[in-house]
Every structure is written in structure tokens, then in C-alpha cells.
Amino acid sequence: MTSHTQTSPAPAFFALQGTLKDYDWGSVTLLADLQSREPTGRPEAEMWFGTHPSGISAVHIDEHDLNPFDSAPQGQEHPTVPLTEITGELGFLTKLLAAAQPLSLQAHPNQQQAREGFARENAAGIALSDPRRCFQDDQHKPEMLIALTHFVALCGFRDPVQASYSFQRLAEAEAEHHEQVTTDLSAALARISLLLSGGNIRQALHLLLDPSGPWVDPESGWVERVIQVIHHAEQLRRDDQSLDTAALAADFFPRDPGVLVTLLMNRVQLAPGQAIFLAAQQLHAYVEGLGLEVMAASNNVVRGGLTSKHIDRDQLDTLLDYAPVGEPLVYPRDERANTDLATGITLSSLCPPVEEFCVLRADFETENLSLTLDPATVSVPDLAQPVILVCTAGSVVLSSGTRQLELNPGQAAVLPHASASHAAGAPVSMVAQSANSTVFATGVPTARS
């Protein structure tokens, strides 16, 4: 048996460089504003922090480089390695998400669906890089989004009776536009309303997304006609917020029947700090805003509309849970009762019912407040390392022995393993450098005592 002797303690933390995704729905300014830098001029949709093969983060490994996020001198580079070399494969993925327009109508598979779908697409010889690919891996993808700005999302199917009212209003408005004459379009809208009043969400969705039906056929002009009705009916939009959401989606996808599908869904408006959780099989679409998104480490997406990417309506149908959902908000648990916190520090946790991740939020009211990030103490009761830290407001400095790292908004670090948390005999501390500083920590939840 070979013996390996560690000659020096492993560093307790590393600066983490995320992977930027420039999807076309991304904001040109939200991430740049968060990070106080000039925009690139391209859509900046997501910044990934994790080990998923589609976007492995890089770790800055020079422990003497106290400003690894600054640009390196010309002709030099900050030394980095893939995060996988430091932590191995992580079961969760953390993202900063910046939406300037609605994302695709989409759902993610449960664990069994992911395994079957991944194997099926592999057997069919569909390359991972093929745009027709829905299953990039064999993992499920529950996810939680925490709003950093005002954020709007569509989450699951709403009460079908309420959705039926939206379609009935459109049917009446279309008929009124034609001087009370029932048109083919107003009759079709009334039919969907009738289906929904009976609770039949699935059949209503089938009608809207039938590839051979008039809603999908661009020659029918039905989607454009409904959009005209919505845009001209200001009072309807004021009375029915779902119609206002459809009007927003129509600005970007004027011929897509997905505009009408949004009327079947719950519209949720989040204030900064509020969070939503989306289980597998829930139809959803983020609409606009900046948020911190945390999920199981998967990139499996099946799309049904509002996108230029591959749409697989048959696969979506087999995957979806058609049961209406209630309020999808996740409420934080105040950790003050279980911790010895200094006055001015608030520690709360957002832990949805999944095994892969839990998120702790640390808020510092004033500068110079310090929090110990040591899993051996009660200061961090819920997370096992590795842990990914993301600063979203203010500024904090991580310290362990002589090692320091400053995190500003949009910057991240990783605490590799519990064994590294006492590097050089010192635990990791986090000290606020400014008032109103906020850091989110993501890791695997430990058993509660």
C-alpha cells in the first residue's frame, strides 16, 4: 500500500472563476452592473459555478495572489485548474441568472426520466453537442431561484378555472372585435376555456401545441390575431395579469403559441430575497430579473415554446406533471436561535426538500462584523463542504491564517473540504468590509440535530 504524506496544509479556500453563458435571452447589463464592470455588449445570461461538464469553473490556485479577480498583467495569466481537481464532482450547480426576456417554456425530468432519456438519446446516436439533444446527463434537476432584483417567473400550472376565465375573456374580446360575430378563433378560445373549466389542463395544452393544429400553423394567423386582441384590450390586461404576461412574451415571440400557454401558468413576482422552488416535471419559464439559481448538477431541459432552440412537444407531454400547483415560494429559516451570532449579522437558510443542495444566506448590517465558516461549530449548521460562496452585495474578506481573499458582488469562492477548514491551524472567517454585505453559501445539507 502506498502512503502519501501531506507536507503542508491544504488552502482553506480558493477564488472561483465562473463560466459565462451568452444565451439570447440574457441581459446585456444586469450581470455587468452587479459586478461593477463594463458590459461586453452581448447577452450575458448565466454565470455557472460548479463542475457540470457543460461549464466547469476554474479555480485560482496561487494562494499568494490576493487579487485573483483582477486582470493579470499583459503577457501573464493567473494560474488556474478545473474545479473538479479541487473538489471532485459536485452534486449541485450554482448560477447567477440574468433574464431580459422570457426563457423557454420548459421542464426538467425526474430521476427515472433522466436516466431513460439519456440512455435513449445515446442509443439513437444523438451527440451531446447536437441541438436536438434534450438529455445532457442522467440526473434530475430540481432547482431554486433566489431573487436579487425584482423577478418575474411562470411556475407550474395554475388553477384551471382561473385560466379558463382568461381564455373566455379573449374569446369575448375577439367576438366583440367582429361585432359580436363568433369567429373560428373566438370559438377555439371558448373551447379551450370550456376544457379548463372542467379541469382538463392537458387537453388544453395539446390543442395549443398540436404540430398539425392551427395554433402552431403560422399560416392560420391565429396567434397574431390573439396578440392583437391582447394589445388593444388595455382594460383586460389591467384586470388579468396573466394577459399582461402574455403580451410581454408576444413582444419577443409574436407567432409562438407558447404565448397562449403562459395563460395556463402561475405568474409569480418576487421581491429581492424571496425564493421559489421548482420540482421535477413542473412547466416553468423565468421572465425577467436577476437571481441566484441553485440546482442539482444537471443540464437536462425539454422545451415546448418561446425559444429558437429545439422544441420537443411530445417529450414534454410525457414528462410533465399536469397537476395545478399552489404558491411555490420557499421561506427562509432564521438560524439566530441556533447560533451564537454577533449583533448585526443575520444568518438564514433556504433548504427545499431535496438532498443535493441547501443555501445559507449571511447578511452583515455594518462593516467589520465577522462570521466563522467552520463546519465544526454551530455557525454553519446545515452545509457539508465543499461549499461555494457567492457575494451579491457589499464586500467581504475571507481569512484563514495569513491567507486572505476579498469577494465583491458577482465574485465567488470555494471551501474545498472540511479537512481544509483548519489550514495552518486557523478556521475560515468572513469579515464584512462594508455595510449591507450579503453572501450566499451553497452545499449539501447535513442532517439536522
Side-chain angles (χ1 to χ4, degrees), residues 46-68:
E46 295 179 345
M47 180 73 74
W48 289 23
F49 302 108
T51 61
H52 192 277
S54 296
I56 300 175
S57 298
V59 173
H60 295 271
I61 58 174
D62 185 354
E63 62 180 290
H64 302 294
D65 181 3
L66 302 185
N67 297 291

Side-chain angles (χ1 to χ4, degrees), residues 23-92:
Y23 307 137
D24 56 9
W25 50 261
S27 168
V28 175
T29 59
L30 283 174
L31 279 176
D33 289 347
L34 177 71
Q35 297 175 330
S36 298
R37 59 172 172 81
E38 288 295 318
T40 64
R42 303 186 308 274
E44 299 178 358
E46 295 179 345
M47 180 73 74
W48 289 23
F49 302 108
T51 61
H52 192 277
S54 296
I56 300 175
S57 298
V59 173
H60 295 271
I61 58 174
D62 185 354
E63 62 180 290
H64 302 294
D65 181 3
L66 302 185
N67 297 291
F69 297 110
D70 294 341
S71 297
Q74 189 171 4
Q76 301 181 29
E77 292 185 0
H78 295 297
T80 63
V81 298
L83 178 58
T84 47
E85 293 192 15
I86 304 297
T87 62
E89 297 288 340
L90 297 178
F92 60 90

